[in-house]
Amino acid sequence: MKKKTKEIIETTTLAVGVILLSAAAFYSSKETGKTELKTDRKEQITSEQETKEAYEAAQKELSFWYSDADCRNYFEQCAVDYYAKTGIAVGIRYVDEESYLEQIYDATMTEEDYPDLYLAWNDAKDKAYLYGVATEEEYPLFFDTLVMVYQKENFPEAPESISEILDYGQNNLLGEGVGNLLEWNVADGFYDYPFVGTEVEWNETDYTLLTTYGEKYNDELTFFKNLSETVGIDTDEIDRNQVVENFNQGASLCAIIDSDDLNKMTAENYGVCGLPMLDDTTPMQGVARTGILLVNEFSGEKDMASDFAAFIEKEEVDTLHAMTGHISTAEGASRDETEQAAFMQYQNSQLVPDAANAGEFWSEFTRQMKALWNGGSLPQE
């Protein structure tokens, strides 16, 4: 009996020993695996750092300019990635937006450090052609349009019209801290345009309002003017950032905002949709711009510049929104629900014209709309 017990104990001890050795080997293997993974990651980081250092030290064969500060990290990363792929180093330069095209033109004419490729909005394209600093080819990169955000606590579904939002205010208590049913940047014509856009045509000669005295246009202006009596927005104090901040704090129930500001939204429970109707029968007409890459006609490296532009447009799409707040124009780009709503609105919006004198239109249009909002009279034929 004792012998059998001893055998059992010895057998059990041996089995436990085997288990412990196996466990030790298993955990050793796991730890080794972790070490290998960490080593691989470290080598990857080192490789990326070495690539960046090599790019920074390399002689720049191409020059790229941009004036959008939000794109700084993005374009610098594009340049490093392009260098890793091609061995070609592109110099990236931020230039202040004021007199941007004039700076490009002046640098090109004096043959100083001018860009072979640069970022511009589509409404600057015609001016770039007139200056002679753009080829006909363009590379669309991202867009800028208007969308509406709404508090889901008040509107479980997206409001179908501005009138519906106003009706909600008449039939419901707005709650503590709510100052406005609806807000947008009334001080900027770009944000006022959708209220009258269906009756505004771009005159290719002087870009004036062709239907200023039309009946439907006056109806839309009347709708806009009447809003000023219901929605309290001070044109001297409001701006796009204030609109976003008010909505995030719950001080407004709905807001028309720039698609570029969607990454600034911090409200807890909100929805995003395209622009609604004005009322049951009158649509809003959104307006949009497209950020494009243009090759300088004077560049001695047009093919290289075009290749870098195509690289940014097609191969760096997935990081664009996260790094800049801009949303890609590419049809096949990956988008979440919010970005997709903005993209659909962009496709249904009126593209800002690329006329050299379009700025004069926006200046006059903004002046007219601000005057009307602040008590001015409707235009008379």
Side-chain angles (χ1 to χ4, degrees):
M1 186 74 175
K2 288 182 180 178
K3 184 177 180 182
K4 188 174 183 179
T5 303
K6 183 180 178 183
E7 289 175 354
I8 293 172
I9 292 172
E10 288 175 347
T11 302
T12 303
T13 303
L14 179 62
V16 170
V18 170
I19 292 172
L20 291 175
L21 286 171
S22 299
F26 172 75
Y27 282 109
S28 176
S29 175
K30 282 188 69 177
E31 290 302 319
T32 302
K34 285 182 179 179
T35 302
E36 288 173 355
L37 287 175
K38 289 177 181 177
T39 302
D40 290 346
R41 177 61 180 152
K42 184 176 180 180
E43 289 175 353
Q44 180 182 353
I45 293 172
T46 302
S47 177
E48 290 174 357
Q49 183 62 30
E50 288 176 348
T51 300
K52 186 175 181 180
E53 290 174 355
Y55 158 75
E56 292 173 348
Q59 182 176 353
K60 305 303 183 282
E61 300 179 53
L62 202 69
S63 177
F64 174 77
W65 286 18
Y66 67 101
S67 62
D68 187 332
D70 292 334
C71 293
R72 185 185 304 275
N73 293 335
Y74 173 72
F75 285 134
E76 289 177 354
Q77 186 61 52
C78 287
V80 173
D81 293 345
Y82 187 69
Y83 178 76
K85 179 182 179 181
T86 66
I88 298 172
V90 181
I92 306 297
R93 178 178 175 184
Y94 171 76
V95 178
D96 191 84
E97 191 168 355
E98 187 175 354
S99 302
Y100 177 59
L101 276 179
E102 285 73 11
Q103 293 183 66
I104 292 174
Y105 174 77
D106 290 343
T108 302
M109 292 302 102
T110 56
E111 297 185 352
E112 294 180 0
D113 183 21
Y114 63 86
D116 300 286
L117 179 74
Y118 57 93
L119 174 70
W121 288 109
N122 71 282
D123 55 336
K125 185 173 61 177
D126 191 65
K127 192 173 184 179
Y129 290 154
L130 290 176
Y131 280 165
V133 293
T135 62
E136 291 186 4
E137 191 168 12
E138 62 185 69
Y139 300 83
L141 188 58
F142 52 74
F143 64 84
D144 177 24
T145 193
L146 304 175
V147 294
M148 190 169 79
V149 290
Y150 56 94
Q151 306 285 1
K152 285 189 173 181
E153 182 179 347
N154 305 93
F155 299 95
E157 301 293 334
E160 295 183 0
S161 68
I162 302 297
S163 293
E164 180 185 335
I165 298 172
L166 300 180
D167 290 342
Y168 179 89
Q170 291 182 341
N171 300 319
N172 298 273
L173 295 175
L174 299 188
E176 186 178 354
V178 178
N180 263 324
L181 289 163
L182 173 68
E183 285 191 342
W184 71 96
N185 186 12
V186 185
D188 190 327
F190 187 78
Y191 301 89
D192 292 330
Y193 180 90
F195 291 90
V196 297
T198 59
E199 295 302 306
V200 174
E201 296 181 32
W202 305 122
N203 183 327
E204 294 183 2
T205 302
D206 56 12
Y207 289 86
T208 56
L209 298 176
L210 293 186
T211 54
T212 301
Y213 304 114
E215 182 178 351
K216 285 194 67 177
Y217 181 68
N218 273 356
D219 288 344
E220 291 177 351
L221 286 176
T222 300
F223 187 98
F224 179 84
K225 180 176 174 60
N226 289 342
L227 274 176
S228 67
E229 300 173 4
T230 306
V231 179
I233 302 176
D234 189 336
T235 56
D236 291 330
E237 296 182 3
I238 199 70
D239 60 32
R240 59 185 280 188
N241 292 325
Q242 190 65 53
V243 171
V244 171
E245 183 179 346
N246 289 347
F247 182 83
N248 283 335
Q249 294 177 351
S252 58
L253 302 188
C254 300
I256 296 172
I257 68 168
D258 202 293
S259 58
D260 284 349
D261 291 334
L262 284 171
N263 65 335
K264 300 176 183 176
M265 304 308 298
T266 59
E268 293 185 0
N269 187 23
Y270 71 96
V272 179
C273 63
L275 296 178
M277 304 278 284
L278 285 181
D279 52 33
D280 292 340
T281 60
T282 309
M284 297 183 83
Q285 174 61 67
V287 66
R289 298 189 300 171
T290 306
I292 57 177
L293 302 176
L294 294 175
V295 175
N296 193 334
E297 179 64 49
F298 285 86
S299 170
E301 302 291 350
K302 290 190 183 69
D303 289 343
M304 190 186 297
S306 295
D307 188 65
F308 182 53
F311 174 82
I312 297 174
E313 178 191 10
K314 297 175 182 178
E315 299 190 35
E316 298 288 292
V317 170
D318 292 341
T319 60
L320 176 66
H321 183 65
M323 295 187 73
T324 68
H326 296 309
I327 303 173
S328 171
T329 58
E331 288 285 347
S334 176
R335 300 185 183 88
D336 60 24
E337 187 176 344
T338 293
E339 295 163 25
Q340 185 61 25
F343 181 65
M344 291 177 64
Q345 177 61 56
Y346 166 69
Q347 291 182 308
N348 294 319
S349 294
Q350 172 76 32
L351 198 62
V352 173
D354 59 343
N357 59 343
E360 298 173 10
F361 163 80
W362 283 113
S363 179
E364 177 59 20
F365 178 73
T366 298
R367 187 196 66 77
Q368 290 182 20
M369 298 301 281
K370 283 180 66 175
L372 188 62
W373 186 265
N374 291 314
S377 300
L378 292 170
Q380 300 297 318
E381 188 171 4

